[in-house]
């Protein structure tokens, strides 16, 4: 199984259930509670990001190419060590590409520009992988605690951090 396939399987384990929680802005096509249509989220594919998709009827085979093109390749996870690429995929889906890039760059100690480019990728290759993944997961956890929705979604967000750390740890062995 390739790095993307493993990362995808872990991601959909985190994101599998359909949710149409009206308090989750990602479930609304307008990206704000009460704005647009409440279409929900399934397999981590949200109405806010993909407002024209039929979210409730998405299948695994339908979402896999979306994750490969729009997330795995867009975030350059294919050019990172597997454990870090898998973590970046899991957090970018939940936090958004730009925020995830910022947190990754902070974890790696490079200039923050919200773009995962040659400097960020080179640093990802050169640093100790245990350190990089641990720092990245810790910064994501810290970021979650600062979000307004933490009281409502914090347990789930921190569960994501723990599971991503666990999955990444398996890849590091």
């Amino acid at each position: 199984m390739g790095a993307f396939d493993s990362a995808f399987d872990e991601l959909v384990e985190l994101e599998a259930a359909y949710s149409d929680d009206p308090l989750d802005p990602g479930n609304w096509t307008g990206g704000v509670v009460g704005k647009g249509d409440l279409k929900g989220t399934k397999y981590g594919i949200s109405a806010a990001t993909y407002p024209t998709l039929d979210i409730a009827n998405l299948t695994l085979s339908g979402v896999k190419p979306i994750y490969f093109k729009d997330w795995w390749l867009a975030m350059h996870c294919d050019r990172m060590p597997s454990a870090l690429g898998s973590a970046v995929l899991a957090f970018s889906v939940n936090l958004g590409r730009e925020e995830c890039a910022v947190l990754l760059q902070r974890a790696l100690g490079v200039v923050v520009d919200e773009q995962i480019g040659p400097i960020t990728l080179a640093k990802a290759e050169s640093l100790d992988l245990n350190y990089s993944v641990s720092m990245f997961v810790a910064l994501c956890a810290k970021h979650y605690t600062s979000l307004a929705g933490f009281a409502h979604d914090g347990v789930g967000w921190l569960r994501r951090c723990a599971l991503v750390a666990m999955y990444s740890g398996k890849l590091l062995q």
Side-chain angles (χ1 to χ4, degrees):
M1 183 179 290
F4 170 71
D5 292 325
S6 295
F8 176 77
D9 289 347
E10 292 164 2
L11 177 62
V12 295
E13 198 173 300
L14 291 171
E15 298 281 4
Y18 173 74
S19 170
D20 62 358
D21 178 357
L23 297 177
D24 184 341
N27 290 338
W28 293 86
T29 57
V32 175
V33 171
K35 183 175 180 189
D37 296 323
L38 178 64
K39 293 177 79 176
T41 300
K42 186 174 181 183
Y43 301 122
I45 300 295
S46 71
T49 305
Y50 296 94
T52 61
L53 285 181
D54 179 4
I55 302 293
N57 291 308
L58 284 174
T59 63
L60 276 177
S61 62
V63 300
K64 193 168 187 176
I66 294 170
Y67 276 126
F68 184 72
K69 177 181 171 278
D70 294 356
W71 300 91
W72 182 258
L73 294 179
M75 295 297 290
H76 303 290
C77 298
D78 59 318
R79 297 173 56 197
M80 296 178 198
S82 294
L84 188 58
S86 179
V88 168
L89 177 67
F91 285 115
S92 65
V93 167
N94 189 255
L95 291 170
R97 291 179 197 92
E98 293 81 14
E99 190 62 45
C100 184
V102 166
L103 294 170
L104 176 63
Q105 290 175 322
R106 286 184 182 150
L108 298 176
V110 298
V111 173
V112 173
D113 64 3
E114 298 181 7
Q115 304 297 316
I116 298 176
I119 294 170
T120 303
L121 292 168
K123 193 70 164 193
E125 286 289 337
S126 70
L127 288 178
D128 176 77
L129 191 53
N130 283 308
Y131 171 84
S132 299
V133 171
S134 298
M135 183 60 73
F136 178 57
V137 172
L139 288 176
C140 290
K142 182 180 178 194
H143 178 72
Y144 283 131
T145 65
S146 73
L147 297 177
F150 188 76
H152 183 260
D153 296 312
V155 170
W157 292 337
L158 294 180
R159 178 181 178 274
R160 171 182 295 268
C161 293
L163 290 173
V164 169
M166 182 184 77
Y167 293 146
S168 297
K170 289 179 185 176
L171 292 173
L172 292 168
Q173 295 176 356

